[in-house]
Amino acid sequence: MILVVGATGQLGSLVLRRLRADGAPVRAMVRDPAGAADLVATGAEMAVADLNRPETLDAALDGVSAVVATANAVAPIRPVDSAAAVDAGYAGLVRRAARFGVSRFVLASVPVTDLDERVPVARTKRRTEQLLAESGPSWLSLRMAPSDEVSLALVGSELPLRGEQRTTLGRPYPTLRRFRRLTGRTIERHGVIVVPGPASARQAFISVHDAARGLATAVGDDTGWGAVDLGDPESLAWTDVASIYEGVLGRRVRVVSQPAAAFAVAQRLFAPVAPSLAGVMALNRLMATSETDWNTDDSARRLGLGTLRSVEEILREKAALPALPVR
Ligand SMILES: NC(=O)c1ccc[n+]([C@@H]2O[C@H](COP(=O)([O-])OP(=O)(O)OC[C@H]3O[C@@H](n4cnc5c(N)ncnc54)[C@H](OP(=O)(O)O)[C@@H]3O)[C@@H](O)[C@H]2O)c1
């Protein structure tokens, strides 16, 4: 039995669907079963549990041989959700997984950067990786480059969200809703792509669908591995992304770069009053100061991923789909 922790999320639900499509027995860890009918329909078992409530984890782990964990609190939807709570929750999950004899643990993770200690989500990933390295199961932490379907929407576009289910950016997190209302279509409407950091910064944008395939494959591979990076072989600068949008939309697209220092100030200002928003600012700061100009062909090969989908391919495909309603 494979436990998916974060099964209601964008990437988590794709991992679950992929595992079910491969015929694997899957248990979805969910906090609210009322909103999980589509996951039940895949034939997955449900376990109602919460990383914030460690006492619920034992029942979720009972009879489980592998865990794949994507849960995170970047777009929190409950007052109790916080980076600190998820951090403690992951520590409890790893400890309990070892106690329950789980033999494989796969973590959806983020690349290593110099700012990791100052960015809550990255701090949690590093800490969880450390705990995994010290505990019993064989483990893989897949440190993924920014995704097409999230990152390319965040810079001012609705296109990447078309045809996607359970999107992170569609989560009912009020701050995110307000941000999207203001900035969600600046590329399509005004020909402006607002990016964190220099326009020349390169990222190996990867599709969440390819990332989900990688995570699902990694669950069945118990050769250890530790931590590996995964991105598309074609790293793009933001100026390249703008050119692709120009080709797809048939209009000029100008890059407006937001300096990392602005995010650092915003992170400090929001930290005492709105920690989640401070976390989002920290993520932007991280993105503004780091690149994923990688060649991860070896990881893709070992995960049997074949050709990964390019940014251009994805945006062209989505441009043919109907636009999403403005919310
Ligand atoms: N998108 C990117 O560019 C990118 C790049 C690199 C790595 N990653 C990593 O990839 C993963 C993305 O996953 P995703 O797209 O599925 O995330 P998502 O859409 O933001 O969904 C968050 C998930 O975490 C769950 N969760 C939050 N707090 C929880 C708690 N206390 N207990 C149990 N579950 C909890 C949520 O459950 P509820 O629905 O109940 O709230 C939901 O299932 C993350 O780990 C992220 O760090 C993403």
Side-chain angles (χ1 to χ4, degrees):
M1 178 64 66
I2 301 167
L3 180 69
V4 180
V5 179
T8 52
Q10 183 167 8
L11 179 63
S13 60
L14 289 172
V15 174
L16 177 142
R17 287 175 205 286
R18 162 65 51 175
L19 289 167
R20 286 300 304 139
D22 292 343
V26 175
R27 185 178 295 160
M29 186 171 126
V30 300
R31 299 196 288 177
D32 178 10
D38 58 323
L39 306 179
V40 175
T42 66
E45 271 184 18
M46 292 292 124
V48 179
D50 188 333
L51 287 171
N52 297 341
R53 294 190 298 128
E55 72 280 6
T56 61
L57 297 176
D58 286 1
L61 284 164
D62 191 25
V64 162
S65 57
V67 171
V68 53
T70 53
N72 69 97
V74 168
I77 59 173
R78 298 176 183 217
V80 291
D81 287 347
S82 70
V86 165
D87 192 66
Y90 265 100
L93 179 70
V94 171
R95 254 195 322 273
R96 285 177 156 80
R99 204 175 337 119
F100 272 81
V102 168
S103 59
R104 180 71 169 158
F105 198 116
V106 174
L107 178 71
S109 187
V110 298
V112 173
T113 75
D114 293 341
L115 281 182
D116 284 356
E117 273 309 305
R118 279 178 272 174
V119 179
V121 68
R123 199 166 51 224
T124 294
K125 305 292 185 191
R126 297 295 89 83
R127 190 167 119 91
T128 307
E129 288 168 354
Q130 182 65 37
L131 292 171
L132 284 168
E134 293 163 3
S135 76
S138 87
W139 62 285
L140 173 78
S141 174
L142 204 55
R143 294 170 174 165
M144 296 169 291
S147 74
D148 300 287
E149 292 84 352
V150 179
S151 307
L152 299 185
L154 271 176
V155 293
S157 179
E158 157 272 327
L159 221 61
L161 304 178
R162 294 184 192 173
E164 301 299 330
Q165 295 174 300
R166 293 187 166 275
T167 56
T168 303
L169 299 189
R171 284 172 64 78
Y173 169 37
T175 309
L176 184 59
R177 284 270 158 96
R178 276 194 293 276
F179 175 74
R180 290 297 293 166
R181 233 172 277 134
L182 287 173
T183 66
R185 295 170 198 241
T186 61
I187 300 180
E188 291 92 323
R189 284 185 182 154
H190 309 297
V192 173
I193 176 168
V194 185
V195 308
S200 58
R202 303 189 86 83
Q203 307 292 348
F205 298 104
I206 181 169
S207 166
V208 286
H209 297 267
D210 287 331
R213 285 196 296 128
L215 290 164
T217 310
V219 182
D221 180 327
D222 60 0
T223 55
W225 280 32
V228 294
D229 294 334
L230 184 69
D232 191 89
E234 173 195 57
S235 307
L236 298 179
W238 287 115
T239 45
D240 300 324
V241 174
S243 300
I244 292 172
Y245 264 108
E246 286 183 339
V248 171
L249 298 176
R251 67 168 300 164
R252 195 167 165 261
V253 175
R254 188 164 54 88
V255 182
V256 173
S257 150
Q258 295 175 299
F263 295 120
V265 171
Q267 182 184 357
R268 261 198 303 279
L269 287 177
F270 287 128
V273 284
S276 293
L277 189 53
V280 173
M281 293 301 138
L283 260 182
N284 274 321
R285 182 180 172 198
L286 185 146
M287 185 98 171
T289 52
S290 57
E291 295 184 274
T292 50
D293 192 6
W294 297 331
N295 181 329
T296 60
D297 285 352
D298 278 353
S299 321
R301 230 185 334 270
R302 281 202 65 178
L303 289 167
L305 290 180
T307 310
L308 304 184
R309 308 188 66 223
S310 72
V311 168
E312 176 150 16
E313 197 181 335
I314 291 169
L315 293 183
R316 286 204 178 278
E317 188 183 291
K318 286 176 180 292
L321 300 175
L324 297 173
V326 179
R327 286 199 291 175

